[in-house]
Amino acid sequence: MLGTPKAEQTTTFDTCRRDLPAAFAITAFIFLIAHGRFLFDPFVVNDDVRQQLFWMRSWIDPQLYSPRDILTQFSAQYVSWGVRGLYRLFALFGGDPLIVSKFVAGALYTLMGGAVFGLARRIVGGGSLGRYIGFAALAVFWLHPYFLHNISGGLARAFAGPLLVCLLWAWTADRGRLALLCLVLEALFIPYIFALCAGAFGLAWLWDMTHGKQKALPAGASTITIAAAFAVGGAVTLAFNLALTAAGFGPLISKANMVGRVIFTDAGRLDIFPTPSLFKLALLSPLEKLMPFQVWGPALGGVAAVCFGILLLMTVRKAPWRTAARNSASIAAIIAASLLLYWVSSLVLLKLFLPERYIEYSVHILWCLALGIPLGAATARLATGRNWRVAGAVLVLALAMLAGARLQGEGLYHYEEYAPLYEAVRRTDKDAVIAGHPALMDDVLTFGRRRVYATFETSQPWCVGLWDKVEPRLYKIFGAYYSDDAEAIIRMCQEEGIDYLVVDDRNYSPEFLHPAKEYMPLSQALGLPGWASWAAEPIASVAESLGAPKTAPKPPHRSDTYRGGVPFFAPFDEYIVDVVQQAHGQFALLDEERFPGERIGPHQRLIDIRSAAQRAGRSKETK
């Protein structure tokens, strides 16, 4: 493990005081460009807030989301204690959690940007060179959609990157107690990052115990203070995990019980098998996200990647790698801990959460440093002449504007399509329970502000206790939703305490139930932006002459279906097919005489099951 000899730790760290505030300010400016116009839009949020934050509205209106409701209980237990406490504080002032989540994301993104700058500058020893390298690493951070995508939503995972970088920055700056404070905060906000960083501190402590002059731990991080931080953070992490089981939603499923089950594959709820390789996590995924493949398509994205690679090769040789290596004890410790925990968590899947979580956050931060150091050093060599300050300022501004444009709405999703449905649901009693297709119920739960029977987001088979409760609900709702027996539907709703059903006639169409694989011309599959569309046909012609197929699979374009276009994740997709076949196309819920309801737009109806039951009872009496 790399470390800094004690003799070198006394070197004065030279820096410009204006640089760090500028890094924070420009990062905040980029966030406002990217997300500013959505800050107060109630229907534009990160998708996972529908699972983790909806219930927090009960702090403002206690009549919402009964604490006895299973999904409400699970979502409350699932959110880390630090996140709960933070949003509880905002709720005291009437802050809507969905709106607050976007401001929390902005604060965390700004914090992480400044920390990336500070870490990169520290690693190369500060000074003029450190200034250029700091801003170069920060530019990579700005242009990398991964960071804002993960921070969007202000959820527990949003704290992973910022707290990890802050810990590394404090460690590199030789401020051990501040680094340990970050470690404890990780236990409160994102426990698996606490495990990662605790592992790094443990490895560094072992290094110091077995080596003499070259130290890895920062000043102030003694055996006693590390043990204290481990005790506090470990107790918080253990108590949080035990609380999930004590509430009846755990434990987490074992690897043996996941093997061979389709629900834990790409076709199911969670793509756990096969475990992503280190090569994919460390190289392919970061490059795919950093380079403009999604914006420019695979062809131009590949060209951009090659050009960037050539530029990097031209600058990498003269970069100050030796200086960076001497100051990278924290980086070496995190790399070692990431590899160790990736291996261990692969052996005991989900007991330490997902293996990729121990790699992806560390790797993307390392990419900022690995690219920022050579590019910043090359920029420093070019920074000569009186006009450079103006040119440098223009360059930073241009990069900020480019980043803001690239990050437009990153990590946010629009849910206003069903606003009339949400309004209709809000007119029901506050203690009403709504059911329908689980994929739609996430939106009804969050924006309609009513309890629901089953949702996609809270269908989590890795939580054994929860899944024992939710799995039967999914079978029951799909069995009723596609049934031809009106009495059976009413009986199921009465037994399960369902007051209203949302029916969408598009869920019964052949295109929804039996999606056919569609294809498109290769020139269209290239995905070139408008300004480069002229090159699509020539590129496709060359590719076809080399043996490439003339067409490519067309991705599902509907927003009302699950991954791959199927009506729900496996094994429920096959169950739905069986129920549909038994109904022979005679779906009872499409009969508006038996199930009259409030018409919402051309496709949806809100059915009052209690009224339908009374109507069915009167119909029996007349017979």
Side-chain angles (χ1 to χ4, degrees), residues 150-173:
N150 276 273
I151 289 174
S152 292
L155 309 171
R157 69 163 183 262
F159 290 82
L163 287 177
L164 177 56
V165 178
C166 285
L167 182 144
L168 294 173
W169 182 19
W171 189 333
T172 307

Side-chain angles (χ1 to χ4, degrees), residues 429-468:
D429 298 335
K430 288 188 177 182
D431 61 349
V433 176
I434 318 295
H437 195 290
L440 177 60
M441 289 300 101
D442 285 301
D443 302 344
V444 171
L445 175 68
T446 304
F447 305 106
R449 304 187 184 186
R450 294 294 182 270
R451 291 183 294 155
V452 301
Y453 182 63
T455 76
F456 166 76
E457 289 289 348
T458 56
S459 298
Q460 301 194 14
W462 53 90
C463 294
V464 176
L466 172 71
W467 190 239
D468 288 342

Side-chain angles (χ1 to χ4, degrees), residues 266-436:
D266 182 58
R269 177 63 176 90
L270 182 64
D271 186 11
I272 290 182
F273 295 107
T275 301
S277 67
L278 279 173
F279 179 72
K280 178 181 179 180
L281 292 172
L283 184 64
L284 294 183
S285 293
L287 280 177
E288 182 183 5
K289 293 179 175 69
L290 181 59
M291 294 295 109
F293 290 105
Q294 296 181 354
V295 180
W296 291 359
L300 286 185
V303 172
V306 170
C307 293
F308 185 76
I310 294 172
L311 174 64
L312 198 61
L313 288 174
M314 294 170 60
T315 61
V316 72
R317 188 174 63 87
K318 295 184 178 181
W321 298 115
R322 290 185 179 180
T323 302
R326 287 196 300 269
N327 298 322
S328 295
S330 62
I331 303 299
I334 282 293
I335 292 174
S338 296
L339 294 173
L340 177 62
L341 283 169
Y342 170 80
W343 175 67
V344 173
S345 60
S346 297
L347 296 178
V348 291
L349 274 176
L350 288 184
K351 298 302 181 183
L352 291 173
F353 205 50
L354 299 173
E356 53 264 36
R357 295 293 189 265
Y358 296 104
I359 296 293
E360 61 179 89
Y361 293 106
S362 309
V363 154
H364 283 87
I365 293 168
L366 291 177
W367 272 94
C368 290
L369 300 176
L371 298 178
I373 290 174
L375 294 175
T379 306
R381 291 194 297 273
L382 295 173
T384 58
R386 296 179 179 179
N387 296 327
W388 175 250
R389 285 190 176 182
V390 176
V394 171
L395 176 61
V396 170
L397 181 61
L399 288 171
M401 297 300 292
L402 177 62
R406 184 179 187 186
L407 299 176
Q408 274 294 307
E410 184 66 41
L412 297 178
Y413 300 85
H414 294 253
Y415 295 100
E416 64 271 18
E417 178 182 1
Y418 299 125
L421 172 62
Y422 311 146
E423 291 179 11
V425 169
R426 287 188 195 182
R427 290 194 292 268
T428 65
D429 298 335
K430 288 188 177 182
D431 61 349
V433 176
I434 318 295

Side-chain angles (χ1 to χ4, degrees), residues 503-559:
V503 175
D504 192 320
D505 59 24
R506 290 170 295 185
N507 297 154
Y508 300 86
S509 68
E511 294 79 15
F512 183 89
L513 296 170
H514 308 286
K517 201 166 188 177
E518 298 180 88
Y519 292 86
M520 56 184 171
L522 183 59
S523 57
Q524 183 181 347
L526 291 173
L528 299 185
W531 57 269
S533 57
W534 59 270
E537 290 294 344
I539 294 175
S541 298
V542 172
E544 290 168 13
S545 67
L546 295 174
K550 294 183 178 181
T551 59
K554 191 174 183 179
H557 60 278
R558 301 194 311 277
S559 61

